[in-house]
Each structure stands twice: as C-alpha cells, then as structure tokens.
Amino acid sequence: MTNTILFYPLADSCPNGCLYCFEDPSFRKENVFTGYDKYKMAESVKRLVENGKGSPQVILHGGEILALPIPDLEFFLSEIKKYNESPNIQTGLGAPITQEHIRLFRSYNVFPGTSVDGPPEFNCLRGPRDLENNKKFQEVVVRNIQTLKESGLKFGNISILSKANASPDKIDKLIEWSLCTTSGGRFNPLFVPWYKENEEILQYALTPKELSSAFLKLLNAAIRNPSFEFALFKEVASALLGDFRSVCTFNRCDYLITSCSPVLPDGTVARCDRCFQDGYYLASQKPSNARWKMLEQTECKGCRYFVACAGGCPGEGQNGDFRSKTVYCEAYYTLFQAVENMLRKMFPGIFLTIDIHNYYEEYVIPGKRFNPFMRWDGIFTDTLRSMSPELKLLGWTPDSEMERKNPGSTGTTKNKHGILHSDSNSRASSGSGCGCGCGK
C-alpha cells in the first residue's frame, strides 16, 4: 500500500548540494532528466491515489522546491490540494522565500516542512561544499526561517542527527535551538548511503552510544516541554500501543517496492528516495514480506521489540545490505525500552503489542483493532503462554492483575461477548454491570 507520494520535479538539479544527499552522485552527473513534465507527474500521482488504499499523503519534495518558478509551484500545490486538505512541502530553505511564496502558502493552506540541522555552525553538512558558498547558503536559511516566523505560518522541521550537531558536546545546544526556533519536529539519524563516494559522510555518523544518548536527551526534552515535538517518540509509543503512525521506519517496509512512492520529473514512479543510493530507481510490481520474516528467524530472533520495530528501515541495513536489520538497532532499542518503561509506570498492567508474540499476524494483517486497555480472553491466554520473562520476574500475570483489581475473587467467567468478569459478590450486590447489557 502506498502511504506517501512525493513529487520530485527537481530530482537531478538541486542547487543545495548537501553532503549526505541520498542520491548516488552519478545520478546528478549524468543529468538523467532535462527539465520536468508537470502534467505527466500529475497523472502519475492521480493513478497512485486511485489505485491505492486510504488517503495517502502527497508531498512536494525533491531538490529545492523554492527554486521552482512560481507558476509551477502553484500548479503542484493545486494538484496536491485535490488529495490533501493542507498540502505539505519539504524544503532545505536554500532559495529565498519571497512574498509570492507566502501568498501561495496562505492561499493553499500549505504546511511547510523545513530541513535544517540547527544553527549555521550545525547546519554545515547542508548546502554547497565550498566554504564561501556554504556561508551564503546559511545566511539564506536564517533569513527564510525569520520570514516564516514573521508571516505567522506554522512549519515543521527535520534535523539530521550527526557528529556535526548531536555529539555529546552539541546535543544540548541543538535542543535549545530547536525549542526557540522550530519547536522540535523530526530528528532522524544520519543516513549513510552505501555508494562508493560515502567516506566523507561516514565520518559524521554517530556511534550507537552517541545516538542512544541523543535520543534519550530528546525524549527528556519532549517530556519536560509540552510544546516540543520529538516525532520518533510518538511513533515508538504508537508502535507499542498498536497504533502504527510511523511514516515508514517501523512499518515492515519492503525495499523493492517501498511504502513511499516518489514521482520523478518524467512521471516515472520510483522507490523511496533512500533507495537512490543504489543508482536504480524503479519499484517492483509485487510486495514481499521476505525481509521481516527472515529477520524474525535470524538477526532479530528473540528481540523484545521486534513485533513493534521489525528490524527498522531496510535502507539503513548494516553494511548497506537491505536484508539486514538497521545499523541503528542499539539506539532504537534504547528508545523503545525507555518508552515502554514510561507506559508501564503510567498504566500498570497495560497490554502492549510486544506482549503478544503474533501481534502482526493477528491484528495488523487482518486489520483488527488492538485496544491496550481491554482485557480479552484471547489476549489473556496468548500472553500467559508467551509473556516475557521480565514481567514474570516482577510477579505480573493476567490472573494476578485481575485479582489486584477485584480482591477476594478466586475465579472469572465470560459473558456472551467473551469478556472476562469477576465472580465476586461485590459486583452483584452493587448492581453494577459490565456496560454491555449482558447482565454480568
């Protein structure tokens, strides 16, 4: 199923020149596309929406979209407006935002997404590689942020975590800047493309411990500052609670087809832009579950959080192998662990997706709703068989939880809906029922 559709009108002609661009440099050198055909692109998006399920998010992305001529920018916004009430764009702010841009953003109710890694000294991996032009680029970025704030438009931000902005001596300043400038947003680990010219990018990648520490500091900032957004925190919590809101990271993405569908300048539908590291772009016609099923029996076998994580993004596979689990496994595990502990302390006895060994097959595939606060008999039985050793050591079992809620109860019965009820006399004498009309 297509979850996200990206317009990529400037896929091979971005003026920003960011160091960690997903694309293989040969893609840009070959100048595969000579301009873009906006009508072919619009037709491709229309087909994707019609053939997909649900309401996919359509985003204007790829290259620096502020470099588009104003009439073409308006064309793309009007196309996106057909599918999404508030069109999304993603920009590195590498070209000046004019009053014409502001007019369009207001007219089409645009929610701009910016890509900035912090103050200029932290944002140094974005923009042209020579110092003089990079300095000019950073000045444009700072002015654009100020323009957006003065206009009153709300905007989100993506920051890429690297040694340039999130090492132990820098992460606190990044959080401080985010609180004052963008109110947080997405904080993604540096994606290291595995094409042959990646040595310079690789040196900026955080170690697993550094990334784990950065995640925990961002989590703490989100808890202490209600207005601060740490999107990954919400996605991890959603994965544990059975409400998968992750853009793609934990959604069992198939590398050969991907849930994200970029539309290239000639109207071709490609795979996720993270796959551009391979130098080829076309997607497979048939989806496959092979990767996560294989990981379940190999690298991720026995992992406490596999049900919720599924090995992470295949584009982040260790040593550039999409079949492997994410190279950031340790950091994601640390974040899952911290969020799980929070949820269990807030809601003692809560059921999480990781408590059910076949959660994905039983709930996600058939589209069944998972309610972490409802005690269904099937979940009780399944959890008794497969509950993690850690919970057993704490003395928690579904039976002990029922006894805690209904002291003196020595047994339970089921109503006609299969809902467990205590047989305690106190329930009968109080006249209270389960609320479902069964009389129990």
Side-chain angles (χ1 to χ4, degrees):
M1 182 179 83
T2 297
N3 295 322
T4 307
I5 301 170
L6 305 178
F7 273 113
Y8 264 87
L10 300 175
D12 63 337
S13 55
C14 176
N16 291 352
C18 304
L19 176 65
Y20 48 65
C21 183
F22 294 164
E23 291 176 0
D24 186 323
S26 63
F27 182 68
R28 297 187 294 279
K29 289 176 184 176
E30 291 169 5
N31 194 26
V32 179
F33 304 107
T34 53
Y36 52 88
D37 189 323
K38 60 187 180 184
Y39 299 107
K40 283 186 177 179
M41 295 181 74
E43 278 299 312
S44 294
V45 169
K46 182 181 179 182
R47 283 195 301 273
L48 285 169
V49 172
E50 290 176 348
N51 296 334
K53 297 179 181 178
S55 302
Q57 185 180 35
V58 185
I59 303 173
L60 183 57
H61 201 294
E64 178 49 75
I65 61 95
L66 294 178
L68 285 169
I70 290 294
D72 287 353
L73 175 59
E74 183 163 16
F75 172 84
F76 286 116
L77 292 178
S78 66
E79 287 297 310
I80 296 174
K81 189 74 171 176
K82 295 176 182 178
Y83 314 113
N84 300 153
E85 180 63 28
S86 179
N88 283 336
I89 65 170
Q90 195 64 40
T91 167
L93 299 177
I97 293 179
T98 67
Q99 288 307 306
E100 276 297 287
H101 289 110
I102 298 299
R103 178 187 66 80
L104 284 180
F105 294 166
R106 285 180 174 151
S107 297
Y108 288 91
N109 193 29
V110 172
F111 182 78
T114 61
S115 298
V116 184
D117 296 342
E121 64 273 23
F122 285 7
N123 199 41
C124 57
L125 303 188
R126 294 189 187 270
R129 294 298 85 214
D130 63 285
L131 289 176
E132 173 127 10
N133 284 325
N134 190 275
K135 182 179 179 182
K136 293 177 182 177
F137 172 86
Q138 304 301 340
E139 290 171 353
V140 172
V141 170
V142 170
R143 285 199 301 272
N144 282 339
I145 291 176
Q146 190 61 32
T147 299
L148 285 173
K149 295 182 78 170
E150 289 174 353
S151 72
L153 290 169
K154 293 183 178 179
F155 62 98
N157 187 59
I158 297 176
S159 289
I160 302 302
L161 302 177
S162 70
K163 288 185 182 295
N165 68 345
S167 55
D169 59 324
K170 296 175 180 176
I171 183 63
D172 290 330
K173 185 174 180 180
L174 174 64
I175 292 172
E176 181 182 352
W177 175 86
S178 298
L179 279 165
C180 297
T181 310
T182 65
S183 297
R186 295 200 66 83
F187 294 88
N188 297 336
L190 174 67
F191 177 71
V192 181
W194 285 94
Y195 47 68
K196 61 184 179 182
E197 300 178 25
N198 74 345
E199 291 84 359
E200 188 178 1
I201 308 171
L202 192 58
Q203 68 177 321
Y204 285 101
L206 295 168
T207 66
K209 290 195 181 325
E210 287 174 336
L211 183 58
S212 297
S213 175
F215 277 169
L216 293 179
K217 289 212 167 189
L218 287 163
L219 177 60
N220 185 59
I223 294 168
R224 292 178 177 276
N225 302 277
S227 63
F228 182 81
E229 182 179 8
F230 178 28
L232 189 57
F233 168 31
K234 294 193 294 187
E235 291 166 5
V236 167
S238 294
L240 292 171
L241 292 168
D243 181 13
F244 282 76
R245 296 184 181 181
S246 170
V247 175
C248 54
T249 307
F250 307 128
N251 282 355
R252 287 168 166 74
C253 181
D254 173 13
Y255 192 71
L256 299 181
I257 190 168
T258 70
S259 58
C260 170
S261 299
V263 176
L264 298 180
D266 64 351
T268 300
V269 178
R271 297 179 296 154
C272 170
D273 48 4
R274 285 192 165 196
C275 305
F276 290 8
Q277 63 178 327
D278 296 329
Y280 64 92
Y281 314 97
L282 299 183
S284 170
Q285 295 300 307
K286 295 182 179 179
S288 168
N289 289 326
R291 177 180 179 261
W292 71 263
K293 285 183 174 293
M294 179 179 63
L295 287 175
E296 190 175 33
Q297 299 302 320
T298 55
E299 295 177 7
C300 301
K301 187 174 183 179
C303 176
R304 178 172 180 75
Y305 300 109
F306 180 77
V307 164
C309 167
C313 172
E316 296 173 349
Q318 294 175 346
N319 300 315
D321 187 344
F322 72 87
R323 298 168 297 179
S324 294
K325 66 180 180 179
T326 172
V327 70
Y328 298 121
C329 173
E330 180 180 329
Y332 287 131
Y333 190 100
T334 299
L335 188 57
F336 268 103
Q337 191 174 50
V339 176
E340 181 201 356
N341 288 339
M342 287 173 51
L343 290 172
R344 295 210 189 273
K345 287 178 180 178
M346 291 169 65
F347 307 104
I350 190 174
F351 263 146
L352 302 178
T353 56
I354 58 175
D355 296 327
I356 305 173
H357 69 278
N358 59 345
Y359 165 77
Y360 189 77
E361 293 88 338
E362 288 294 319
Y363 285 87
V364 179
I365 292 177
K368 288 169 59 179
R369 179 174 176 270
F370 175 75
N371 184 348
F373 302 105
M374 179 65 77
R375 299 304 192 180
W376 295 99
D377 187 42
I379 299 179
F380 269 75
T381 305
D382 183 79
T383 305
L384 278 171
R385 290 195 301 264
S386 60
M387 192 164 42
S388 65
E390 289 89 344
L391 286 177
K392 289 180 180 178
L393 287 173
L394 292 173
W396 187 93
T397 66
D399 287 338
S400 68
E401 176 67 12
M402 183 61 76
E403 177 66 21
R404 185 185 70 80
K405 288 188 173 183
N406 299 280
S409 173
T410 56
T412 59
T413 58
K414 290 188 293 184
N415 69 5
K416 62 184 178 182
H417 304 301
I419 300 177
L420 282 173
H421 295 278
S422 169
D423 284 334
S424 64
N425 293 327
S426 60
R427 178 182 292 273
S429 62
S430 67
S432 61
C434 75
C436 66
C438 66
K440 282 284 187 181

